Amino acid sequence: MNTAPQPDPKDRPARLTVGVVGAGRVGPALAASLQLAGHRPVAVSGVSDASRRRAAALLPDVPLMTPAEVLGRAELVLLTVPDDALPGLVAGLAETGAVRPGQLLVHTSGRYGARVLDPALRAGALPLALHPAMTFTGTPVDVQRLAGCSFGVTAPEELRLAAEALVIEMGGEPEWIAEDKRPLYHAALALGSNHLITLVAQSMELLRTAGVAAPDRMLGPLLGASLDNALRSGDAALTGPVARGDAGTVAAHIVQLRAHAPQAVAGYLAMARATADRALDHGLLKAELAEDLLGVLADGATGASGAPGPGDTGPSGDTGKGTSTGTDKGSGTDARPGTDEDPGPEGPEGTDGGAR
């Protein structure tokens, strides 16, 4: 349910013609959502075959055009291209006279605020940065997911109400982000969303290697509980061998990863060190256990570690260090998905967000 305060009707944008420059995973979904709110998509640009298929699926009967032609037809233009392409695109459109005075120009990059649209602003456009904190699939399900989705909003103060109104019309929840905080905001989403996908994918690969036939079914309840615990309790939800200081178990993990998935060792060590630091800071990891644990992690980084400790029973990873006899159900694990045409919370398209 949308709980954001509703803008006064006089602050709501009029029914607008909508154009999309960059028919990746994000642009067509936002345009389709705006269409449901009463706006009218009139033009879309896309380069790849995949982009054209997405546009046809989400925006049927909307013609494909060049970016300049899109701007020529639309009052509200969504610039949904990769972050690195956005400044050049805006400058090029402004230099060629494609930007019209009074035109609403909206980009969906998490990294940039409204300032990246300054060339268009000088040409008379109205600049808005509306970044959906959502990961996109490029299918109609994305439109449904926008309901209740947070958007990072940055705009000139005089356009703030109009920007927030557009987000609310798409079913989203506007969250104001200061211009200078956009990169930090986007880094946070990428850390939480994009890296989560990498961790979960690695975990599923390792479980398959260990003989688990349906790793998704095994991980689903565990990860769901971990995410819920983390969102509710933050660092207090930390658990598992690192937070307990079970250095022998961690050493056994490193041995097994080096043997079966050496590409996962660096990520395991980095996350274990970060977890240890947070567990220490919050009093979850006892200082007397931390020294051995951090030593194991340091040795693991150089490849010097790996021999199971005296209490270990061998390659199974069970150790005599600590008293836990099973897995800890509180343990946890992290647009932009992407093609080549949109920024997302989590990769070139979408985050990403995770998040885009």
Side-chain angles (χ1 to χ4, degrees), residues 123-305:
L126 306 177
L128 309 175
L130 307 179
H131 175 253
M134 178 54 62
T135 182
F136 288 79
T137 64
T139 66
V141 71
D142 295 333
V143 180
Q144 301 169 27
R145 287 179 174 172
L146 289 174
C149 168
S150 292
F151 279 67
V153 175
T154 306
E157 188 60 38
E158 61 271 20
L159 295 176
R160 178 169 178 165
L161 288 177
E164 293 176 346
L166 281 171
V167 169
I168 291 169
E169 286 195 321
M170 288 186 281
E173 304 278 356
E175 183 72 37
W176 187 257
I177 307 294
E179 180 80 32
D180 64 345
K181 294 296 191 295
R182 291 288 290 207
L184 178 62
Y185 151 80
H186 194 231
L189 293 182
L191 186 66
S193 176
N194 306 156
H195 298 173
L196 172 63
I197 293 171
T198 299
L199 289 172
V200 173
Q202 284 188 336
S203 181
M204 288 198 294
E205 289 175 356
L206 292 170
L207 287 171
R208 289 190 192 98
T209 301
V212 175
D216 54 340
R217 191 165 64 237
M218 176 176 283
L219 285 173
L222 172 63
L223 298 186
S226 297
L227 178 59
D228 184 64
N229 291 345
L231 292 175
R232 290 173 182 272
S233 305
D235 288 301
L238 282 172
T239 184
V242 173
R244 289 193 300 267
D246 289 343
T249 297
V250 172
H253 289 176
I254 296 170
V255 169
Q256 292 299 302
L257 290 175
R258 288 204 183 281
H260 299 288
Q263 73 282 1
V265 172
Y268 179 94
L269 291 171
M271 290 305 300
R273 282 193 294 268
T275 300
D277 289 342
R278 300 189 75 89
L280 269 171
D281 289 344
H282 289 80
L284 302 173
L285 174 60
K286 295 178 181 178
E288 59 269 25
L289 298 177
E291 185 175 355
D292 284 349
L293 175 68
L294 295 175
V296 165
L297 296 176
D299 289 344
T302 63
S305 177

Side-chain angles (χ1 to χ4, degrees), residues 46-189:
V47 177
S48 67
D49 290 340
S51 296
R52 293 168 181 266
R53 286 193 298 271
R54 271 191 295 271
L58 286 164
L59 301 172
D61 303 321
V62 176
L64 284 161
M65 298 184 170
T66 66
E69 290 171 332
V70 172
L71 268 71
R73 296 193 62 174
E75 297 161 311
L76 165 62
V77 179
L78 302 173
L79 303 179
T80 51
V81 298
D83 289 357
D84 289 350
L86 182 61
L89 172 67
V90 175
L93 291 171
E95 288 169 5
T96 57
V99 179
R100 293 181 285 117
Q103 190 169 45
L104 281 165
L105 218 55
V106 177
H107 79 71
T108 59
S109 166
R111 169 185 171 187
Y112 292 109
R115 202 165 294 150
V116 72
L117 298 173
D118 277 355
L121 175 64
R122 291 191 288 271
L126 306 177
L128 309 175
L130 307 179
H131 175 253
M134 178 54 62
T135 182
F136 288 79
T137 64
T139 66
V141 71
D142 295 333
V143 180
Q144 301 169 27
R145 287 179 174 172
L146 289 174
C149 168
S150 292
F151 279 67
V153 175
T154 306
E157 188 60 38
E158 61 271 20
L159 295 176
R160 178 169 178 165
L161 288 177
E164 293 176 346
L166 281 171
V167 169
I168 291 169
E169 286 195 321
M170 288 186 281
E173 304 278 356
E175 183 72 37
W176 187 257
I177 307 294
E179 180 80 32
D180 64 345
K181 294 296 191 295
R182 291 288 290 207
L184 178 62
Y185 151 80
H186 194 231
L189 293 182

Side-chain angles (χ1 to χ4, degrees), residues 305-329:
S305 177
D312 290 336
T313 58
S316 68
D318 294 331
T319 76
K321 199 168 181 77
T323 58
S324 176
T325 58
T327 60
D328 208 319
K329 296 299 181 188

